[in-house]
Amino acid sequence: MREEPTAERRLPVAEPQAPREEPKPPEMRDMAFLTAGAFSAEGEALLAKMIQSTGRAPGDVLRLTAAPFAGGARVAVVMGADALRLYAPGARAPLGGWTTVGRTPAVVTYSPDRLLRFFGKDPAKLREGKLATWNALKDAMKRVESAKQKGT
């Protein structure tokens, strides 16, 4: 005859646990602005204007200063040659040219401080530098819209 288990012999019953939530992927932003270092106050103000010119608020874009970039944006805007060397070592791209940072397409443009420091004393040169930067941002916005249409 089989003996009934007593309280001493019963195995503990595990308490039900709430299901684990899977970590959410990082929020996909339209643009990431990648810089090699901090800007002057004037450079920061110019960068804010650049971001606003794309129809976005500064909080709507990913902004990294010499920090690892693991994606999370449809397009990266590499702000200057130092940032290009930092985020895409060995890559070469002319001003307004495209490369990749990781798997993210990236356009290279002037950093705001470079525009102000090297072209600020010559209004015609400053206008020319700002126009080159604006053209790169327009190309970036086109790529963002294309990526959105493709669902990426």
Side-chain angles (χ1 to χ4, degrees), residues 11-89:
L11 296 173
V13 177
E15 293 292 321
Q17 295 181 358
R20 291 184 187 174
E21 286 188 31
E22 291 296 316
K24 294 180 181 178
E27 178 185 344
M28 181 63 72
R29 306 263 177 99
D30 287 347
M31 295 178 162
F33 286 78
L34 310 179
T35 64
F39 295 137
S40 64
E42 295 84 7
E44 286 292 338
L46 183 55
L47 179 60
K49 288 179 184 178
M50 289 176 180
I51 292 170
Q52 289 172 344
S53 73
T54 68
R56 291 152 183 87
D60 294 339
V61 300
L62 186 59
R63 165 90 189 277
L64 296 174
T65 302
F69 176 64
R74 290 179 175 89
V75 171
V77 179
V78 180
M79 308 293 293
D82 291 339
L84 180 63
R85 282 189 291 278
L86 178 67
Y87 288 100

Side-chain angles (χ1 to χ4, degrees):
M1 184 170 10
R2 193 168 156 223
E3 221 177 280
E4 291 294 316
T6 63
E8 297 165 8
R9 292 178 145 183
R10 290 185 188 161
L11 296 173
V13 177
E15 293 292 321
Q17 295 181 358
R20 291 184 187 174
E21 286 188 31
E22 291 296 316
K24 294 180 181 178
E27 178 185 344
M28 181 63 72
R29 306 263 177 99
D30 287 347
M31 295 178 162
F33 286 78
L34 310 179
T35 64
F39 295 137
S40 64
E42 295 84 7
E44 286 292 338
L46 183 55
L47 179 60
K49 288 179 184 178
M50 289 176 180
I51 292 170
Q52 289 172 344
S53 73
T54 68
R56 291 152 183 87
D60 294 339
V61 300
L62 186 59
R63 165 90 189 277
L64 296 174
T65 302
F69 176 64
R74 290 179 175 89
V75 171
V77 179
V78 180
M79 308 293 293
D82 291 339
L84 180 63
R85 282 189 291 278
L86 178 67
Y87 288 100
R92 292 181 165 251
L95 181 68
W98 287 86
T99 187
T100 57
V101 175
R103 294 183 172 181
T104 304
V107 65
V108 180
T109 191
Y110 288 118
S111 77
D113 274 344
R114 180 161 177 93
L115 281 171
L116 295 170
R117 189 176 19 202
F118 291 101
F119 304 123
K121 294 179 181 164
D122 182 343
K125 290 284 186 187
L126 181 60
R127 193 169 28 262
E128 183 180 313
K130 285 182 175 181
L131 181 61
T133 301
W134 174 239
N135 287 333
L137 291 175
K138 286 192 307 187
D139 286 347
M141 290 185 292
K142 287 177 191 172
R143 287 249 182 142
V144 165
E145 293 310 314
S146 176
K148 283 181 173 180
Q149 289 175 358
K150 292 177 184 174
T152 57

